[in-house]
Amino acid sequence: MLPVAVLAGLCEGSAMVIDPDQPETVLIADNERSGELYRYTMDGVPLEGLASLDLARMTVQDPVEDIEALASDATNLWIVGSQSRSKSGEEKPLRERIVQLHAGGWTTWSIDWTGCAECAIEGFADLRNVEGAAIWSAHLWLGLRAPRLDGRSLLVELAPRAGSPVFEVVSTHALDLGGLAIVDLSVNTAKPAALWILAGASSGKATPQIFELAGPSATPKARGISLPEDAEGLVVLPSGGARVVTDGATAKDGTCKTTSTFYRSDKL
């Protein structure tokens, strides 16, 4: 992939998705900023100069802490917290939210994990870290960066509980990603049968890869495309190309110690 833009002011790009209301643009989350998403063109050009048209950024009405995943379809946008706890094991309710933006406003969801038998392992909640989300086969799917089970990454399918803003886990799949973990998920709306997975290190550093998953029980197939080491967000376009945003770092004064970078590839 080729770097095309340094995203000035965006320190920790953590997730990316096509905006259903402005499909020629992408929305990017910064996991250190709970109240806003940031909009860019497919070439990484910020639209701050068009703020009067409400194109520069999107305010999250019900803030989500530690936004690590975004998903969209033709009319909805889902903003997904990491579902993680603090390093000391303290619960963080704002991280456990999923906020769905839709024509009628927004709905704030929680997740009931009891339908995930694989998630019943001791210490699961302390290690849980959701970093990928996508609408696939009409359901919301989440990818976990941690924990992994026997070296495999968990992909969970959610469905809404009748009469309640709660998602239930209806299926779980353990994927062999060659020792890597799920960092993001994406679906090509022109060819929606497959799920695309951005995979990287569960912790520490590793060379990231993109995998194509033909179905929940299929074997993930690696694509030989070079990726930046800190790749954190993936969008697969209807044209067959892709966009990636990297993670950076925030300094103590709130400025960018390392700035996120936008990459493009015209084919996978």
Side-chain angles (χ1 to χ4, degrees), residues 12 76 103 117 127-128 198-199 204 216 232 263 268:
E12 300 191 32
N76 297 273
L127 297 172
R128 184 178 59 214
L198 173 62
E232 191 78 8
Y263 285 73
L268 287 173

Side-chain angles (χ1 to χ4, degrees), residues 2-7 42-45 243-244 261-265:
L2 296 175
V4 293
V6 174
L7 305 182
M42 293 299 177
D43 292 315
V45 177
R243 300 293 184 268
V244 161
T261 302
F262 195 79
Y263 285 73
R264 69 174 291 161
S265 174

Side-chain angles (χ1 to χ4, degrees), residues 11 18 41 45 54 74-75 106 114 134 240 265:
C11 305
I18 293 175
T41 71
V45 177
D54 196 26
T75 57
W106 76 91
T114 57
S265 174

